[in-house]
Structures are given as C-alpha cells and as structure tokens.
Amino acid sequence: MAQGRLQGGQIIEPPTGRVLSLDGDAGPAQPRAESNQTILLLALLAALPMFGQSFHYMIDLPPLYLLSKGWPVLTAPLALFALVRLSLPLQVLYGVLLAYVLGLTPLMSMIYFGTGLVDALATTAKSLPFLYYFAALGLLLLLRPRPETVVRAVLWLGAATFILMALLWVVIPADFYKTDPAESKLFLFEAERGYRIFMPMFFGTIFLFYLTRRAFARQEIATILVLLVCFALMVLIYKQRTVILAVLLTVGLIALAASSGWRRGLLLLFGTAGGLVAAGLIYAHFLERIESALGASLTIRQLSITIATDYVLSNPLVMWFGAGSVTRISDNNLQTILGNAHFYLADIGWLGIIFEYGLVGASLILAAYVASLRCIRRIGTGTHYSMMTAALGDHIVLMLITSLVYSLVFTPGEMATALALATYLGLHSDTSVPRP
C-alpha cells in the first residue's frame, strides 16, 4: 500500500489524490455531533490510558494489568480498520518494524535460547504495542470525536495524573509501600529515596510540556503556577531521577525553541541551567546514602553490560539480528541461561536492544521514533492544535533522551499512541475550533 501524506491537515491517498473522510466518502473529515461529545470524552478517558500503557506493568491492579497485556490483541481489528480506511504516513516503516520484532526476533530466541514456539511468541508482548499507532487511530476514526474533545481528554488525563498522585501520597499509609518491586510497582520504599509513588507518567509529561508551551505562548500566571506545582510533585513524590532530569532538559529545549532574540534566549538558557542546579540541590541530602545504595546498583548494571557485550560480540549473527529474549515465567530465563541472577536487559539501554534485536532491529526502532517525531512536528505546523501536537512530540524527545538508560521497547505504545493522536488532530487542521 502506498504511503499517505498530510495535506491541509487531511490524509491524501497517493494513487488518486482523493481526500478520505471519516465517513468513507471524499470530502472533509466530519466529527460526530456536539451532543455526543460527552459520551465520546468518557470513552477516550477510559481507552487512552490502555493505549498509553499506563497499566502495562501495574501489578498492583491485576484486572487492569492483565487487560493491558491483552490490549494489543483485543484492539488489533481497530488497527486493520485504520489501515483499510486511510493510507497513513510511516505505515511502511511500521510494517517492516512489526514484521521484524514479531516475526524474526521470536525465531532468534528459539534458535539461541531453545524456547518453545509459545514462549517465543510470548516475548513479543512488549513490542506488540507498536501496533497502537494503527489501533489508537482506528478507535479515533471509529468514534470520530471532535479534535478539541481529544485534546480535552489528554489534558484531563494529564491533570488527573498529578491530582491522583498527590491524593495517594496523602491517604496511603506507610504499610502499603514495598521494598521489592515484585510486590508493588506503584508504592515503593528505597533507602536512598525513601517513600515514592511510581505513577505512570505518559499523560503527566505531555501535560507538563503542554503547560510549558502555553506558558511561553501566552505568559499566563496561572499556567506557570500549575506547571511549577506539577513539577514539584514529580520531585517530591515521583522521585524518578532520570525522568525528572530528562523532563528538565526537554523543557530547556522547548524554552530555547520558543525564545526570540539572543537576550531572551540567554535568559532562558540560564533559567534552565538554574533548574538543573535546583534539582541537584533537592537531591543533595541523598548523596551519602546514594554512594552505598547505587554502588550495588551500578555494579549490577556494569555486570549486565559486560555479559551482554561478550555475548553479542561472540556471535556476528547475534550482533546484526539479535538473540531474542525469554519471558520471566519460562522454565529457563535469561538469568539462568547466562549464569547470573542479576542480568536485566531493561537496565542497559541501547545495548539491551541490540542484544535482543541486533543492530538491524535497533536501527529500525530508532528510525521509527525519529520518523514519528518528525511526522508529528510536520503535522503541528499545519494544525490549530499546535501546542498539543508539539507536546506529543516532546514526549518522544523525552523518550529518546531517557533511552540512554531505559529501553525504547519498554513502553513503545507511548510513542505509537502519541503519533496516532497527532495524526488524528492533523486531519482537522482546517477546522475552526475554540481555544482549549
């Protein structure tokens, strides 16, 4: 199928140049009547967290956790619906990527780790959310909400992230916090960081970036205050250092892009540097305990790096195409196969991706992220919802920054959903809309 393109905010089918509407006929895309928007908003509030993988690792909520694991399969018909209705940007790249990670990689795990077919296919659970680019867009095409309803849903979910995090911090007793992540992924206690709540932050960071762009565009005091409060909640409750520093760096990039004139740019640059210094001072009282606590953590990570490097370099075929992986519930997991109980692919960033998918697979994954970011940026230049589309792109920037530590296949549904949302908003770039 030929790759579509955006023109005037609508998808153009290359062979005929026909503008595809959401009703299946030529002409502009028409959302549903205003009277249905409340119902559609509630539907989006329920469905979007599943596409954003908000519960994908949330063992604290077993029903939602299991639903999230099965969501890519359950929504596969929506992906097919989107592909049939529209010729989408990047569909060839995503098709090749999905064929690689869902077809070749399980085969490699069967070859190198001796896994059975079922176990090999089970390892694709973390890469299946790449389908959300098509599935989330398919849901939007089926529901046909007004674009401002989509924007409102994303902002409400972002605001709810911080409100719920603050509420849980106040009402949840200390007994609920666990030291073992296998017992809780939400309420954690660690020696160097104390009590913290590891909230799913997909919509939270998009909300932060939207507020940042709105603050620079409109200079609203209320927006700036909300932005500062949200960031303070991240520092005091969320406490995920890598993400917080990456958010600060992304905000700094937004500030530089929004600046006009060297004086304002210099001021914004110093402001960003000041924010980084402030973040460092906030964590200063942890430094003594971090040295001992991270000593073991860094040793484990260094050991994982050494084992992965030796394994990859020992076999050129693995280096190029990867060795695949093994599920945690398999009879033989990577720890037993490689002879070390503290080997974790998710902790070694790009090296972990190369171990599992090889240089070819890593290149395809990086290409998908970079191409998705560029596509969102192009869409944002021609839509009335430029601040929201820009914020969606900013989240991909955040993921690329954190990929130095975290694997990009840990939550690929975030990137795929961001692209789907931006693409849908791009369909309505010529629609006159109220300011959100």
Side-chain angles (χ1 to χ4, degrees), residues 66-88:
L66 294 175
L67 180 60
S68 181
K69 293 296 185 182
W71 197 249
V73 177
L74 294 174
T75 58
L78 292 173
L80 182 61
F81 176 74
L83 287 169
V84 169
R85 295 299 293 272
L86 296 176
S87 184
L88 298 170

Side-chain angles (χ1 to χ4, degrees), residues 378-398:
R378 287 197 299 269
I379 293 171
T381 59
T383 176
H384 292 286
Y385 303 94
S386 58
M387 282 193 290
M388 176 51 70
T389 53
L392 293 168
D394 294 334
H395 184 79
I396 297 181
V397 173
L398 173 70

Side-chain angles (χ1 to χ4, degrees), residues 368-380:
Y369 274 80
V370 173
S372 297
L373 175 60
R374 293 184 61 188
C375 184
I376 291 175
R377 295 301 194 217
R378 287 197 299 269
I379 293 171

Side-chain angles (χ1 to χ4, degrees), residues 16 47 136 139 150 169 178 181 188 197 201 216 219 234 237 248 253 289 303 305-306 322 340 350 387 397 417 431:
T16 63
L139 178 67
V150 177
W169 184 254
K178 307 297 181 182
L188 299 173
I197 299 178
M201 290 301 298
F216 280 107
Q219 290 84 45
M234 284 191 71
I237 301 176
L248 277 171
L253 294 174
R289 285 178 289 178
L303 185 59
I305 291 173
T306 300
N340 190 281
W350 280 102
M387 282 193 290
V397 173
T417 301
T431 304

Side-chain angles (χ1 to χ4, degrees), residues 38-115:
T38 300
I39 297 175
L40 295 177
L41 175 62
L42 294 175
L44 292 176
L45 292 175
L48 288 181
M50 303 305 299
F51 286 111
Q53 295 191 261
S54 297
F55 307 104
H56 208 67
Y57 299 97
M58 194 64 64
I59 59 175
D60 306 73
L61 301 170
L64 292 176
Y65 169 75
L66 294 175
L67 180 60
S68 181
K69 293 296 185 182
W71 197 249
V73 177
L74 294 174
T75 58
L78 292 173
L80 182 61
F81 176 74
L83 287 169
V84 169
R85 295 299 293 272
L86 296 176
S87 184
L88 298 170
L90 308 182
Q91 67 182 30
V92 173
L93 173 59
Y94 270 80
V96 173
L97 172 61
L98 287 166
Y100 188 98
V101 300
L102 302 181
L104 179 63
T105 301
L107 178 62
M108 301 303 285
S109 68
M110 295 172 66
I111 294 173
Y112 285 100
F113 300 131
T115 60

Side-chain angles (χ1 to χ4, degrees), residues 252-325:
L253 294 174
I254 295 172
L256 289 176
S259 62
S260 59
W262 69 269
R263 292 181 179 178
R264 185 179 179 187
L266 191 62
L267 179 62
L268 293 171
L269 183 61
F270 277 113
T272 303
L276 292 172
V277 172
L281 292 176
I282 289 172
Y283 291 114
H285 67 285
F286 291 131
L287 289 180
E288 292 183 2
R289 285 178 289 178
I290 285 176
E291 183 177 357
S292 59
L294 284 187
S297 176
L298 289 175
T299 300
I300 292 172
R301 181 163 287 162
Q302 290 169 352
L303 185 59
S304 295
I305 291 173
T306 300
I307 294 172
T309 302
D310 291 342
Y311 192 89
V312 169
L313 294 180
S314 66
N315 191 324
L317 194 62
V318 171
M319 182 174 64
W320 285 106
F321 300 105
S325 186

